[in-house]
Amino acid sequence: MIYEADINVRKKLISMFEEIDSTIILSYLQGHMGNAWVDNLENPTVAQITVGIFVFFAGDSKSKEAEELLFNLPDFTIAIVGSDEWKNRIETIHVGSIEKFQRYRFKKKPEHLDRKHIENLLSTLPEGYEIKRIDKEIAKDPSLHELSEDFISQFDSIDDFINRGVGYAILNEGQVVSAATSFSIYDDGIEIEVASHPNHRRKGLATIIASTLILDCLDRGKYPSWDAANEESVKLAQKLGYNFQESYDTYFIDYKR
């Protein structure tokens, strides 16, 4: 049997998840967002952390509760683990229902982000485009969510995003065509989410909007963490000054209840 963790249990999970390098885990462990489930509220030996579409597993992968946790998934699941034992368990339990792919991790070193370099990337927008900080009106705009469902979905509400999150958008003819936001937040920074409309790519919009968000974070003493889902995102991160660390296995789990 598994149980949803409370604030007291959360503190007990810190050491269990140390082997997974992710600021999204910190978002939960530091009490900002997300949920967790464990096998035992007093002495957890296996646990799951969920923040939006991201699900992390740690602890005893061989326990029967581990299998329960591996079926305790959101509708769209990106699963990340820190050991071969957990990878094997996922691949066994969800055989035929997973897609294994690579994500790309970058070193989390503030000194790698050179302000002058990033400012130089803020080239002039093409005619007809404008940058706006995401306010309530933009946060409600369907064109924002058509680019990515994950720009603000980790927050409790639009007001919660406005109060605790941050984001910028590029508009064209009143429609959001590129945006960068805080997918998640933790004590010392944010995890960045960036997306552009296919019809407006190859114009430098993603570079401009990501640079705008990064400079905002640096102004506030927050670290803008970047974790790439594809090679295009890797190239953009390196252009901005991030230093590549490693690729790692990730699982899309297509589990139908």
Side-chain angles (χ1 to χ4, degrees), residues 23 118 201:
T23 66
I118 296 171
R201 290 175 183 165

Side-chain angles (χ1 to χ4, degrees), residues 70-116:
L70 284 167
F71 284 108
N72 181 43
L73 304 174
D75 291 336
F76 187 98
T77 299
I78 300 296
I80 298 170
V81 295
S83 70
D84 289 338
E85 288 79 12
W86 271 107
K87 293 177 188 179
N88 292 335
R89 197 75 195 270
I90 288 174
E91 292 172 14
T92 299
I93 288 176
H94 290 291
V95 61
S97 301
I98 59 171
E99 177 186 342
K100 186 177 182 180
F101 63 99
Q102 296 295 295
R103 286 186 67 92
Y104 305 90
R105 189 172 283 133
F106 293 84
K107 296 177 182 177
K108 298 173 181 62
K109 300 288 186 181
E111 60 269 24
H112 292 167
L113 300 177
D114 182 86
R115 174 180 291 276
K116 289 185 179 179

Side-chain angles (χ1 to χ4, degrees), residues 67 78 85 87 94 108 114 116 136 138 146 151-152 155-156 167 173 181-182 190 198 200 203 228 232 248 251 257:
E67 182 168 347
I78 300 296
E85 288 79 12
K87 293 177 188 179
H94 290 291
K108 298 173 181 62
D114 182 86
K116 289 185 179 179
K136 288 185 180 181
I138 295 175
E146 287 170 5
F151 278 137
I152 67 173
F155 294 84
D156 295 334
E173 298 181 352
T181 71
S182 50
I190 69 168
H200 296 266
K203 298 180 179 181
E232 184 177 354
Y248 62 95
Y251 296 90
R257 289 170 176 76

Side-chain angles (χ1 to χ4, degrees), residues 11-64:
K11 298 175 182 177
K12 301 176 182 179
L13 303 182
I14 294 173
S15 60
M16 193 181 296
F17 283 89
E18 282 180 339
E19 62 184 1
I20 306 177
D21 179 12
S22 172
T23 66
I24 300 176
I25 289 177
L26 295 180
S27 296
Y28 171 75
L29 293 177
Q30 294 172 352
H32 296 283
M33 51 183 49
N35 305 92
W37 287 264
V38 297
D39 61 327
N40 187 298
L41 294 173
E42 296 299 323
N43 184 32
T45 63
V46 61
Q48 165 192 343
I49 289 175
T50 299
V51 180
I53 64 174
F54 288 93
V55 183
F56 305 86
F57 298 96
D60 182 9
S61 63
K62 297 178 182 179
S63 66
K64 66 180 181 64

